[in-house]
Amino acid sequence: MKRSILVLSLLAATTAAHAQRPGRGPAPIAPNPQSLPISPAPEYVRTSAPIDANIVKLWEEGMQRSKAAAYAQALLDSVGPRLTGSPNMNRAQDWLLATYKQMGVTARKERYGTWNSWKRGVAFAQITAPRVKALEATMLSWSGNTAGKWVDGDVAVLAPYDSPEAFKAWLPSVKGKVVLASAPRLSCRMPSQIAEFATPATAAALDSAQRDLSATYQGLTQRVPTFYADLKAAGAVAVFESNWSSYPGVDKIFGSPRNSALPTFDVGCEDYGMLFRLARNGQGPKVKLMAESEFLGEQPVFNVIGEIKGSSKPNEYVVLSAHFDSWEGHSGATDNATGTVTMLEALRILKTVLPNPSRTIVVGHWSGEEQGLNGSGAFAADHPEIVKGLQFAFNQDNGTGRIVGTGPSILPENGPRLAQYMAQMPNQLTQYIRLSGPSGIGGGSDHVSFLCYGAPAASLGALSWDYSNSTWHTNRDSFDKIIQDDLKHNATLTAMFAYLASEDPQPSSRTLMNPMPNGPNGQPITVPNCGKAQRESSGYRR
């Protein structure tokens, strides 16, 4: 016993000594300032418990009997990603309808157009020479297939070209080849490691070389509109690309109907770099691959709309908004299952506590956001009565974190109104929220489809949890990245916003900023200035 205690003491001392050495283990990381309560607290952060009985009930239902995590797990692990127009999107929408039916909420699929439907199948890729190794590879959306067979080919690097003529001159060399079409990374180490450990000279040289290499290949697959079709006609076997997202093992996964000409894969940073070096150094890399996919043509596409009818003001509306579609790197968790589940759970909470709201509460689960706000834009265009009668729309679309920001956008008089709503909520929800002043419309998510008509809409901005690099459109956007406490928090907060907007005795303001801010092109914004939603995939380019 004494010997065991001595050994444990020595181990503890050794561990402590190692922890104190520079370069050993991670350094302490300070919390993100936005994750902390605002200090000093704004006036809308209560110093006492809420007095509204319905607010208390909403809090209890949302925080003590939440179903948000259960909804997210079923959607993400069992249903999975939701590419616009795909059979899996249809399956996911049917899951939404069934879930709303279980909670007693009226919901429907509402068609807004058609889209190029594509079904993902099994896909693999492996290097077979000069050594054997499975490749970390993901078939891109709308990729072509190998007709159910394994195919193989030598690996060739796309020759940079500066004219269509130069491209055509190179094409005959691709027959029977797998073409590497993007720049590799010279190092797949995280930028933070290079900044921490490299000498200034090493860091500068690596950065300069990478910039030159990336610039050489930038845009080559888009420069010729028929790039993939031309490679297929010339006899290429497949196209490999790589879209690294700053961390080992994390890539961004997109796709385009242009990929339909050939099997097209994203290959992880390390494996792609290896293939590129082998090919450039004449070391004979060969790849074997198989890709299954099915093209179903233009098929109807839908939004899912849930609704609790208003009891005294049925022609006035509160809209809960989140896009349902996703890319297919993994499960589409933080983009945007978290926003979807926030609105789904918020409506469940409202149905339980407030089954007869004054205004009609609508939830829109939009399709086609990743292709240009198409689902929400079409809905707003098709429902001028909702735009006209809109009290407020609340949209959430930037990851799993707690909501920490919102604002009135181009309707400044709605800022104090949002503050009044928050002043009635528990401070556990509002102590993190920065209420911004008036601002431009923006352009990144579905609230814009309402703001562009001058209708009141608020974006509920969340803590990023390194959203841009870790999960946004990546192969790591999976259920485990969801922070369940924050999801429960957000659904409860959203339910309270919807309740207070529904019962507000006064209509929200539509008085615009004066002068209006400039838009992205530097020109003054005019309202309405809504773009036309694309309702079919012909002409879509990405």
Side-chain angles (χ1 to χ4, degrees):
M1 188 62 144
K2 289 182 179 178
R3 185 176 183 276
S4 298
I5 293 172
L6 177 61
V7 169
L8 289 172
S9 299
L10 288 171
L11 283 172
T14 303
T15 301
H18 276 265
Q20 292 169 6
R21 294 180 190 176
R24 298 274 187 170
I29 298 175
N32 186 300
Q34 283 195 319
S35 71
L36 302 174
I38 306 171
S39 180
E43 290 185 4
Y44 55 77
V45 177
R46 295 183 64 87
T47 58
S48 60
I51 58 174
D52 185 319
N54 282 327
I55 289 288
V56 174
K57 291 177 183 177
L58 291 168
W59 170 265
E60 292 174 349
E61 184 63 32
M63 301 302 287
Q64 297 176 17
R65 292 179 287 277
S66 176
K67 294 188 178 181
Y71 289 152
Q73 188 278 324
L75 174 60
L76 293 169
D77 291 343
S78 183
V79 178
R82 303 158 302 281
L83 184 70
T84 296
S86 68
N88 215 49
M89 175 56 129
N90 293 335
R91 181 168 165 250
Q93 291 179 327
D94 290 342
W95 174 85
L96 265 182
L97 293 178
T99 303
Y100 277 125
K101 185 176 180 180
Q102 288 178 348
M103 67 174 72
V105 168
T106 300
R108 67 185 185 274
K109 291 171 72 172
E110 185 173 293
R111 178 173 172 171
Y112 68 88
T114 64
W115 208 256
N116 187 333
S117 183
W118 179 83
K119 183 178 181 180
R120 176 177 293 276
V122 174
F124 300 97
Q126 183 161 328
I127 184 172
T128 58
R131 63 188 180 100
V132 175
K133 181 188 182 299
L135 297 174
E136 186 175 7
T138 302
M139 181 171 62
L140 296 183
S141 300
W142 290 289
S143 167
N145 58 61
T146 60
K149 301 175 182 178
W150 285 91
V151 298
D152 54 15
D154 295 334
V155 176
V157 175
L158 172 62
Y161 60 92
D162 55 10
S163 69
E165 292 72 25
F167 175 68
K168 289 179 182 178
W170 167 79
L171 272 176
S173 68
V174 306
K175 186 174 182 179
K177 306 284 181 64
V178 174
V179 177
L180 306 183
S182 56
R185 298 292 305 182
L186 298 176
S187 173
C188 299
R189 286 190 177 276
M190 295 181 293
S192 61
Q193 287 186 351
I194 294 172
E196 182 177 1
F197 295 111
T199 66
T202 296
L206 186 59
D207 179 69
S208 177
Q210 184 66 64
R211 286 176 183 273
D212 289 345
L213 185 58
S214 297
T216 299
Y217 287 87
Q218 181 68 36
L220 289 183
T221 61
Q222 288 85 32
R223 198 168 294 170
V224 173
T226 54
F227 176 86
Y228 298 91
D230 289 349
L231 260 62
K232 180 179 182 179
V237 171
V239 175
F240 284 0
E241 303 172 12
S242 189
N243 192 354
W244 190 57
S245 192
S246 296
Y247 299 134
V250 184
D251 272 30
K252 297 194 183 300
I253 309 297
F254 292 101
S256 164
R258 299 170 70 235
N259 301 138
S260 63
L262 280 171
T264 311
F265 287 77
D266 179 274
V267 177
C269 185
E270 293 83 358
D271 286 347
Y272 189 86
M274 174 185 67
L275 291 171
F276 196 97
R277 293 188 298 273
L278 288 169
R280 273 292 178 86
N281 290 308
Q283 293 165 348
K286 295 179 181 293
V287 165
K288 185 175 183 178
L289 61 96
M290 187 270 287
E292 294 180 350
S293 63
E294 188 175 353
F295 297 91
L296 305 173
E298 287 282 314
Q299 296 291 328
V301 285
F302 306 87
N303 296 313
V304 172
I305 309 299
E307 183 176 277
I308 302 176
K309 199 70 174 176
S311 57
S312 59
K313 299 177 181 178
N315 297 324
E316 297 182 22
Y317 300 88
V318 176
V319 172
L320 305 183
S321 168
H323 76 88
F324 195 41
D325 62 308
S326 75
W327 289 103
E328 295 191 300
H330 203 289
S331 302
T334 66
D335 189 24
N336 184 35
T338 44
T340 294
V341 171
T342 291
M343 302 308 162
L344 175 67
E345 169 68 357
L347 207 64
R348 184 198 70 80
I349 296 167
L350 288 162
K351 178 65 175 176
T352 302
V353 174
L354 193 74
N356 298 298
S358 296
R359 292 180 174 89
T360 297
I361 299 176
V362 171
V363 59
H365 298 285
W366 316 118
S367 175
E369 188 269 354
E370 297 294 356
Q371 287 72 46
L373 311 185
N374 291 331
S376 61
F379 179 85
D382 293 344
H383 291 279
E385 77 285 0
I386 291 181
V387 173
K388 180 181 178 181
L390 188 62
Q391 175 73 2
F392 250 113
F394 298 98
N395 184 72
Q396 213 285 311
D397 177 25
N398 70 320
T400 187
R402 290 191 309 279
I403 291 168
V404 293
T406 191
S409 187
I410 58 173
L411 303 169
E413 292 177 4
N414 287 330
R417 186 178 304 271
L418 290 168
Q420 290 169 11
Y421 293 167
M422 288 191 287
Q424 300 177 63
M425 301 178 188
N427 59 19
Q428 293 96 321
L429 299 177
T430 59
Q431 62 183 327
Y432 305 103
I433 299 177
R434 277 86 176 159
L435 181 61
S436 65
S439 64
I441 287 180
S445 194
D446 295 290
H447 59 290
V448 173
S449 295
F450 301 95
L451 275 174
C452 67
Y453 290 101
S459 174
L460 303 177
L463 288 169
S464 77
W465 284 84
D466 197 37
Y467 174 71
S468 295
N469 291 327
S470 296
T471 59
W472 179 72
H473 300 170
T474 75
N475 55 344
R476 297 295 184 259
D477 196 13
S478 49
F479 173 79
D480 60 285
K481 305 305 187 302
I482 289 176
I483 307 303
Q484 296 180 26
D485 286 345
D486 287 0
L487 189 59
K488 180 166 61 174
H489 170 116
N490 291 351
T492 305
L493 173 70
T494 301
M496 291 182 185
F497 268 128
Y499 157 65
L500 292 163
S502 168
E503 306 309 304
D504 192 338
Q506 299 297 321
S508 55
S509 172
R510 300 206 174 198
T511 301
L512 297 170
M513 292 175 64
N514 187 16
M516 288 284 281
N518 288 339
N521 59 359
Q523 299 300 313
I525 295 172
T526 58
V527 177
N529 63 343
C530 300
K532 188 175 181 180
Q534 193 164 348
R535 296 180 186 257
E536 60 179 17
S537 62
S538 62
Y540 170 68
R541 294 290 180 266
R542 190 179 183 97

